[in-house]
Amino acid sequence: MQTFTVPELFSRSSGIGLRAPHHEEMLQKKPPVGWLEVHSENFFYFDTPQFKELEILRQDYPVSLHGVGLSLGSADGIEAAHVEKIRQLAEHIAPAAISEHISWSRIDGISVPDLLPLPLTQEAMTIICNNIDNLQNALQRPVMVENPSSYLAFSDSEMGEPEFLAEISARTGCGLLLDVNNIYVSAHNTGFDAEAYLRNIPAARVGEIHLAGYQINPVDDDGEIFIDAHNQPVHAPVWDLYEKALGILGDQPTLIEWDNDLPSLNVLRAEADRADEIRQKVLTGESSCVA
């Protein structure tokens, strides 16, 4: 079993998700950003300008590889060819960390462009633990897995999500990438207590936090559903929950995700700076959220 430890390269200022429209500015200006996260699947081909730009940026910034297409929750298992592409990419880029999602997106060889949640059952846990073990064995390193955003709760779930995540980490040795926006979105949509969720997460297993902006969609005449759209600034309630998360779990490497309706690079950097201000507030004991 792999043994997870928090990557030391992340113990600096917060990072941003690197997206293609910002490559040129990053290359030219080399702004002060703690680290960069990229979607692994966008860099599987090494003869592209985009990959060569990442190679250059890797010389100045730590890079994290964040997968979105492996389908760790698939009962069919994970595709060996996909895993091999991740392994080769990691060999070239030497990432500070590799992560994927607790979700599924493939069945009977057919993939869907979404990260679908799993029922929280022992059967699903066995499947995902086997897939994580196979991934970590192929990569010869531990990975982190991210909690999903949920829009409904499964009636046959046998446990809460924090318990599910903790058991996966204990069985496989993987780390946890805690998406605070996903916790807030899921708590609103399915009715659980977000702060209680945080208190049931094993702090020693957390290696990274994600922050993003959700979208509010009306439902019928009097309801709302929150969508993990990554197309807005981080909302105030998520910043508040983030501060509580740091107070409960301790300081954590933090990343700002923004995938749609991209803003300027300066806006992304300002969001990362705000995360660092909150981190400093908690570290110095100025926050009322310190446990």
Side-chain angles (χ1 to χ4, degrees):
M1 184 175 72
Q2 300 290 332
T3 302
F4 176 77
T5 55
V6 178
E8 292 183 2
L9 288 175
F10 285 178
S11 60
R12 55 176 74 194
S13 57
S14 296
I16 61 172
L18 178 67
R19 304 298 177 254
H22 295 144
H23 281 203
E24 184 175 352
E25 187 174 358
M26 288 292 302
L27 288 165
Q28 291 181 355
K29 297 182 179 179
K30 292 184 171 58
V33 173
W35 48 284
L36 303 173
E37 182 187 85
V38 299
H39 289 162
S40 304
E41 288 80 2
N42 290 337
F43 296 91
F44 279 173
Y45 300 98
F46 301 161
D47 58 351
T48 64
Q50 185 167 288
F51 179 81
K52 298 184 188 308
E53 290 164 354
L54 179 62
E55 282 190 306
I56 296 170
L57 289 170
R58 179 64 184 86
Q59 298 172 25
D60 296 297
Y61 303 95
V63 170
S64 172
L65 300 180
H66 188 51
V68 295
L70 193 53
S71 191
L72 283 177
S74 175
D76 298 337
I78 52 178
E79 292 185 326
H82 195 125
V83 173
E84 177 60 16
K85 288 176 181 177
I86 296 173
R87 190 197 67 76
Q88 291 181 9
L89 176 59
E91 189 175 86
H92 278 77
I93 297 300
I98 300 174
S99 56
E100 248 290 354
H101 296 81
I102 297 293
S103 64
W104 66 277
S105 55
R106 182 175 52 80
I107 186 169
D108 294 334
I110 300 173
S111 297
V112 297
D114 209 339
L115 300 169
L116 303 174
L118 298 163
L120 305 178
T121 63
Q122 288 293 339
E123 180 183 17
M125 184 183 297
T126 297
I127 289 169
I128 203 159
C129 286
N130 287 340
N131 288 338
I132 292 171
D133 282 339
N134 290 337
L135 174 62
Q136 293 184 143
N137 288 338
L139 298 178
Q140 285 298 292
R141 64 183 289 169
V143 301
M144 290 184 287
V145 294
E146 179 181 341
N147 55 294
S149 52
S150 298
Y151 306 103
L152 51 80
F154 290 93
S155 61
D156 59 348
S157 287
E158 300 165 356
M159 66 195 81
E161 191 169 280
E163 181 185 354
F164 191 76
L165 295 173
E167 184 64 21
I168 287 171
S169 182
R171 287 192 191 184
T172 67
C174 74
L176 300 177
L177 193 171
L178 201 63
D179 191 312
V180 171
N181 182 67
N182 286 1
I183 295 172
Y184 187 79
V185 164
S186 299
H188 170 86
N189 292 337
T190 66
F192 64 76
D193 183 324
E195 187 170 344
Y197 181 113
L198 291 170
R199 294 190 180 280
N200 284 288
I201 291 291
R205 308 304 300 171
V206 179
E208 183 182 333
I209 282 178
H210 273 184
L211 296 170
Y214 59 84
Q215 177 176 301
I216 302 175
N217 287 4
V219 178
D220 299 326
D221 295 327
D222 57 356
E224 293 177 335
I225 187 169
F226 291 178
I227 306 296
D228 180 32
H230 294 189
N231 63 349
Q232 299 179 39
V234 178
H235 287 265
V238 176
W239 284 122
D240 292 342
L241 187 61
Y242 173 59
E243 186 172 341
K244 290 178 181 177
L246 296 179
I248 293 168
L249 302 171
D251 187 37
Q252 299 291 342
T254 301
L255 181 103
I256 301 297
E257 284 191 297
W258 201 317
D259 296 314
N260 302 299
D261 302 327
L262 284 173
S264 69
L265 187 58
N266 284 339
V267 169
L268 279 181
R269 289 178 55 205
E271 293 279 279
D273 288 344
R274 183 169 180 182
D276 284 332
E277 290 171 5
I278 294 173
R279 291 172 68 184
Q280 185 63 26
K281 181 180 176 182
V282 173
L283 281 171
T284 57
E286 298 174 24
S287 171
S288 61
C289 297
V290 176

